[in-house]
Amino acid sequence: TRTPVNVTVTGAAGQIGYALLFRIAAGHLLGADVPVNLRLLEITPALKAAEGTAMELDDAAFPLLRGIEISDDANVAFDGANVALLVGARPRTAGMERGDLLSANGGIFKPQGKAINDHAADDIKVLVVGNPANTNALIARAAAPDVPAERFTAMTRLDHNRAIAQLAKKTGVQVADIKRMTIWGNHSATQYPDVFHAEIAGKKAAEVVNDEAWLAETFIPTVAKRGAAIIEARGASSAASAASAALDHVHTWVNGTADGDWTSMAVVSDGSYGVPEGLISSFPVTTKDGAYEIVQGLDINDFSRARIDASVKELEEEREAVRSLDLI
Ligand code: NAX
C-alpha cells in the first residue's frame, strides 16, 4: 500500500476549490491508485465554509481520501506538502491599478512561497492557478530559494484545452485527434495559442485549417477571451473547467505526456525561444518521470514570433513592476 501524497489547496472554499477537491479525492490528480491527504488553506473568514466542504468530502466516502486538515496558517498547510495548488488570490476589483493588484497578490504569494520553502516536502511540485498566475508564481518562486526553480509552474492548461476544443469544433474532429497544441507566454489576453506545430489526425493543423484570417481573427481571440465569455454567459468565472485543467496539469507533470504529444505549462524560462531567462512563461513541454522539458527546435514563423514577443513583453513588464515593489 502506498503512502498518501499530501496535496495542499489554497482558496479551498472558493468556486474552483469546490470543483477541484472532490476530483482530487476521486483520484483524478495523481491516479486511481494514489491515496491523498488534503490540506486546505483559507483566510480566517472562509474557514467555516472550508469546513463545510470538508464535511461533504467526508460524506462522499472516497476510498483514496485518507485525511483532511484545514488551516489559515500557510506554515501548517504546506507542512510536508508534495503537491501545492495555489488557487486563492486577490482578484482585480473596480478602480484597482495593476500595481495595487500585484502588491495585494505579493502579500499572498510571497509568504506562501516562504512557507513552501520552509515546510514542504523535498519533492514539492507547485501549480499556481490564482491570477495573475505567471507573476504570482514568479513571486512565490523568488521567496523559495531552497526549492528548485523548476518546481514552480503556472497554469495555461485551461487555455491549451480551450484551444484544442475550438480547433476540434472548427475542423469537425474529436479532441483526442489533436496533438501538439501550444500556448505561449502569459495567461492573459496576450497569450498566444499556436496551431503551427499542432497536428490533426496526423496532418499539419495549419494546412487542414488553411485559413490564416480565421486563426488571427477568430481562433486566437476566442481562446484568449474565453474567460470573459464564460463570465458573460454564466454570471461567474470558469470554475469546473479551470479545476479540470489544474488536474490535467499536475496529472501530466507526474504521469508523463504521450509519445509524440506535448502539453503547455508556464515554467521558468531557460532562455528558450528568446524568452528571457527566469520569466515564468508558457511553453510546449514534454513530461516524464515527474520532470518536464521545454520542447526544443521548433521553427517559429513571423506570425507566431510577433505574438510570442508581445506576450513575453507583458511578462517582462509585470516582472519589472513586482521588482520595483520589492516582491522578488
Ligand atoms: P473565488 O473567489 O471563488 O475563490 C478564491 C478563494 O481564495 C476564496 O475562498 C478566498 O477566501 C481564498 N483566498 C484569498 N486569499 C487567500 C489566501 N491568502 N490564502 C488562502 N486562500 C485565500 O475564486 P475562484 O473562482 O475559485 O478563482 C481562483 C483564482 O483562479 C482567481 O485568481 C482566478 O482569477 C483564477 N483563475 C485562473 C485561471 C487560469 O487559467 N490560470 C482560470 C480560472 C480562474 O479565473
Side-chain angles (χ1 to χ4, degrees):
T1 55
R2 291 188 57 163
T3 325
V5 175
N6 295 327
V7 180
T8 303
V9 178
T10 78
Q15 54 152 4
I16 294 176
Y18 194 75
L20 187 57
L21 293 168
F22 294 84
R23 292 194 55 197
I24 297 173
H28 300 171
L29 183 76
L30 298 164
D33 55 346
V34 186
V36 292
N37 286 318
L38 283 171
R39 303 279 173 75
L40 314 185
L41 180 67
E42 258 297 350
I43 52 173
T44 316
L47 283 177
K48 188 144 186 251
E51 278 161 19
T53 303
M55 287 163 69
E56 283 202 77
L57 285 160
D58 281 342
D59 294 350
F62 288 110
L64 290 173
L65 183 56
R66 299 298 158 81
I68 311 173
E69 281 172 47
I70 306 170
S71 182
D72 56 2
D73 181 346
N75 294 321
V76 172
F78 290 114
D79 189 34
N82 306 107
V83 176
L85 305 175
L86 309 192
V87 179
R90 175 73 165 82
R92 191 189 285 261
T93 40
M96 209 176 187
E97 300 291 333
R98 184 173 71 174
D100 303 332
L101 180 74
L102 294 172
S103 353
N105 280 294
I108 295 173
F109 287 88
K110 198 171 173 175
Q112 289 185 1
K114 179 153 187 352
I116 288 169
N117 189 68
D118 296 348
H119 301 288
D122 288 345
D123 66 347
I124 179 72
K125 288 182 165 63
V126 182
L127 168 61
V128 176
V129 174
N131 282 319
N134 301 52
T135 295
N136 288 341
L138 191 75
I139 294 168
R141 188 224 134 172
D146 304 332
V147 178
E150 71 270 14
R151 306 288 186 76
F152 284 87
T153 66
M155 189 165 93
T156 51
R157 185 65 175 262
L158 179 55
D159 309 302
H160 177 99
N161 289 346
R162 285 167 170 167
I164 288 176
Q166 291 300 320
L167 189 60
K169 267 206 168 79
K170 165 79 173 173
T171 57
V173 302
Q174 304 289 321
V175 288
D177 291 331
I178 297 181
K179 308 271 184 252
R180 301 189 171 193
M181 179 59 73
T182 305
I183 304 293
W184 299 94
N186 200 2
H187 167 69
S188 76
T190 68
Q191 66 173 266
Y192 172 49
D194 178 0
V195 305
F196 287 102
H197 309 287
E199 291 174 359
I200 300 179
K203 299 195 190 94
K204 282 183 185 302
E207 285 170 17
V208 176
V209 172
N210 194 22
D211 185 351
E212 199 165 294
W214 178 79
L215 283 181
E217 288 152 32
T218 304
F219 173 75
I220 295 171
T222 299
V223 173
K225 294 180 191 159
R226 186 72 167 177
I230 298 287
I231 292 173
E232 173 72 24
R234 263 186 101 224
S237 58
S238 321
S241 56
S244 197
L247 296 161
D248 287 347
H249 177 113
V250 174
H251 192 277
T252 303
W253 188 357
V254 171
N255 295 301
T257 40
D259 274 350
D261 200 3
W262 64 60
T263 189
S264 303
M265 288 168 65
V267 303
V268 176
S269 178
D270 58 359
S272 293
Y273 300 100
V275 180
E277 237 181 292
L279 284 181
I280 297 193
S281 186
S282 189
F283 287 99
V285 304
T286 55
T287 58
K288 199 182 171 200
D289 300 331
Y292 59 81
E293 279 178 26
I294 296 172
V295 175
Q296 295 299 324
L298 300 177
D299 281 330
I300 306 298
N301 62 21
D302 293 346
F303 183 95
S304 296
R305 188 75 258 170
R307 287 167 172 82
I308 294 170
D309 289 351
S311 194
V312 167
K313 181 161 174 280
E314 183 183 53
L315 284 173
E316 286 187 280
E317 289 164 4
E318 288 182 15
R319 179 165 70 176
E320 269 321 298
V322 294
R323 248 192 208 135
S324 67
L325 292 164
D326 259 341
L327 294 173
I328 59 169

